[in-house]
C-alpha cells in the first residue's frame, strides 16, 4: 500500500463542494503545529494574521507585517505534506495599489512556499482579486466580519443582520467569485445568509461563526485546542484543554527542579 499523501489542490476544493464533501480548514503558524494539523487530516491550513493576537499578543490583527507573515508561513510549509497552505495578506499589503497586492501575494508563493493567499473585502477588492488571480495566484476571499476593518466596523460584531446588509454580502460573494476567488471565508454571518451564499456559489464557502450550511469550516487553532482564552467567541468549540495540560506539566517541572527530583540518573550522562 502506498504511503504517499496526495497534496490538496485548488480544483479539488471545488470538486469537494460539488460532491458534498465538507472542507476542514484550520490555522497554524509554526512548524510543529503544522505537522500535527497536516497529519491529522485537515484539508487547508491558513497562516492567518490572527497570529498577531494569538502568538504576538497584540490587540488586533492590524499591526502585523509582511515579513512576520512570511516568517510564519515558511515555518508552516516546511512541515506540510498534504494540506493546501493559504498565507494571509496583512493589513496594508494589498490595499494601496493592485501592483503592490500582486507583488506581496507573489511573495507568499515565491519566498514562503504557500499555495494561495487570503485577503479581506468584498466588491471594493474585486479588481485586486482579479489582478492577483491573473498573475496565477489563487485567492481565498474573506467577507462578513473582516478584522482588518475593525476600526470601520466599530468592533468584532456579527455582520449581515439586516436585510440590506445580507443582500450586500450576497452581492459581494457573487462579485468575488466572478473575479476568480477560489473560495470565500464567511466570518460572523447569520447562518441563513451563509446558506444562501453557499447555494448561489460554485466555489466553496468556508464558515467561521456562519453556521453548518457552509461548504467547510475554519477555526483558529489556539481557540479550538483551548490555548488562547483572552477572548473566546461564541462560535468556537473547544475540543481540548491544552492550556490546562501545559500548566500542569510546567508546574510539575518547576516543583521537581525546586525539590531536586529532576533530573534523575537516567537523564544524566555518565
Ligand atoms: O486570520 C485568521 O485566522 C482568519 C480566520 C479567522 C478566518 O482570518
Amino acid at each position: 500500500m502506498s504511503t504517499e499523501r496526495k497534496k490538496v489542490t485548488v480544483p479539488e476544493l471545488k470538486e469537494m463542494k460539488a460532491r458534498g464533501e465538507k472542507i476542514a480548514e484550520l490555522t497554524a503558524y509554526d512548524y510543529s503545529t503544522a505537522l500535527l494539523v497536516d497529519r491529522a487530516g485537515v484539508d487547508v491550513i491558513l497562516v492567518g494574521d490572527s497570529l498577531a493576537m494569538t502568538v504576538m499578543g497584540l490587540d488586533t490583527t492590524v499591526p502585523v507585517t509582511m515579513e512576520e507573515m512570511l516568517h510564519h508561513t515558511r515555518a508552516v510549509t516546511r512541515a506540510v505534506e498534504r494540506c493546501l497552505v493559504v498565507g494571509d495578506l496583512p493589513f496594508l499589503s494589498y490595499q494601496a495599489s493592485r501592483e503592490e497586492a500582486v507583488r506581496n501575494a507573489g511573495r507568499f508563493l515565491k519566498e514562503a512556499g504557500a499555495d494561495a493567499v487570503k485577503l479581506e473585502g468584498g466588491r471594493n477588492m474585486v479588481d485586486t482579486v482579479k489582478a492577483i488571480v491573473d498573475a496565477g495566484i489563487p485567492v481565498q476571499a474573506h467577507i462578513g466580519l473582516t478584522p482588518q476593518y475593525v476600526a470601520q466596523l466599530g468592533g468584532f460584531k456579527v455582520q449581515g443582520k439586516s436585510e440590506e446588509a445580507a443582500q450586500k454580502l450576497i452581492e459581494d460573494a457573487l462579485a468575488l467569485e466572478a473575479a476568480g476567488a477560489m473560495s470565500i471565508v464567511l466570518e460572523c454571518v447569520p447562518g441563513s445568509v451563509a446558506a444562501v451564499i453557499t447555494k448561489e456559489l460554485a466555489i466553496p464557502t468556508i464558515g467561521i461563526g456562519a453556521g453548518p450550511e457552509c461548504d467547510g469550516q475554519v477555526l483558529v487553532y489556539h481557540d479550538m485546542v483551548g490555548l488562547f482564552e483572552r477572548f473566546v467567541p461564541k462560535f468556537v468549540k473547544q475540543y481540548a484543554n491544552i492550556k490546562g495540560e501545559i500548566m500542569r506539566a510546567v508546574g510539575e517541572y518547576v516543583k521537581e527542579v525546586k525539590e531536586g527530583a529532576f533530573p534523575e540518573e537516567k537523564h544524566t550522562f555518565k
Side-chain angles (χ1 to χ4, degrees), residues 21-234:
E21 184 181 341
K22 295 278 189 185
I23 298 163
E25 178 165 336
L26 192 60
T27 67
Y29 319 114
D30 65 76
Y31 175 83
S32 52
T33 305
L35 201 75
L36 299 176
V37 167
D38 183 74
R39 305 308 187 265
V42 162
D43 302 304
V44 179
I45 288 182
L46 170 64
V47 188
D49 62 357
S50 52
L51 69 85
M53 297 162 86
T54 55
V55 173
M56 296 168 70
L58 296 162
D59 287 334
T60 73
T61 58
V62 169
V64 74
T65 66
M66 265 305 290
E67 298 313 318
E68 286 161 344
M69 291 304 302
L70 291 172
H71 167 87
H72 285 278
T73 306
R74 269 183 220 112
V76 165
T77 57
R78 276 179 209 125
V80 165
E81 285 177 6
R82 178 179 175 274
C83 287
L84 186 111
V85 178
V86 179
D88 211 359
L89 281 160
F91 180 63
L92 230 52
S93 68
Y94 58 96
Q95 290 91 341
S97 73
R98 285 203 282 284
E99 285 73 18
E100 201 172 6
V102 171
R103 277 191 211 292
N104 280 324
R107 290 188 70 193
F108 274 95
L109 273 63
K110 266 179 93 98
E111 298 177 35
D115 303 299
V117 296
K118 178 170 83 58
L119 59 77
E120 296 180 8
R123 275 159 297 177
N124 60 324
M125 280 298 144
V126 158
D127 290 343
T128 304
V129 169
K130 192 170 178 333
I132 298 172
V133 172
D134 283 350
I137 302 163
V139 176
Q140 179 168 68
H142 181 166
I143 59 173
L145 171 55
T146 43
Q148 293 179 13
Y149 297 67
V150 67
Q152 248 173 12
L153 298 175
F156 297 101
K157 298 177 187 162
V158 177
Q159 303 295 309
K161 279 170 90 172
S162 69
E163 211 168 293
E164 191 191 346
Q167 190 54 39
K168 272 197 181 133
L169 279 179
I170 296 165
E171 286 165 18
D172 279 343
L174 288 168
L176 289 162
E177 177 176 59
M182 65 158 187
S183 64
I184 305 187
V185 170
L186 304 177
E187 180 165 356
C188 288
V189 168
S192 53
V193 178
V196 171
I197 294 174
T198 301
K199 213 162 152 235
E200 292 280 322
L201 301 184
I203 56 169
T205 57
I206 309 292
I208 174 162
E213 303 295 328
C214 296
D215 300 302
Q217 298 293 325
V218 58
L219 280 178
V220 169
Y221 169 84
H222 287 60
D223 291 338
M224 57 83 72
V225 298
L227 248 183
F228 183 73
E229 292 181 333
R230 201 169 80 192
F231 170 66
V232 183
K234 171 184 159 74

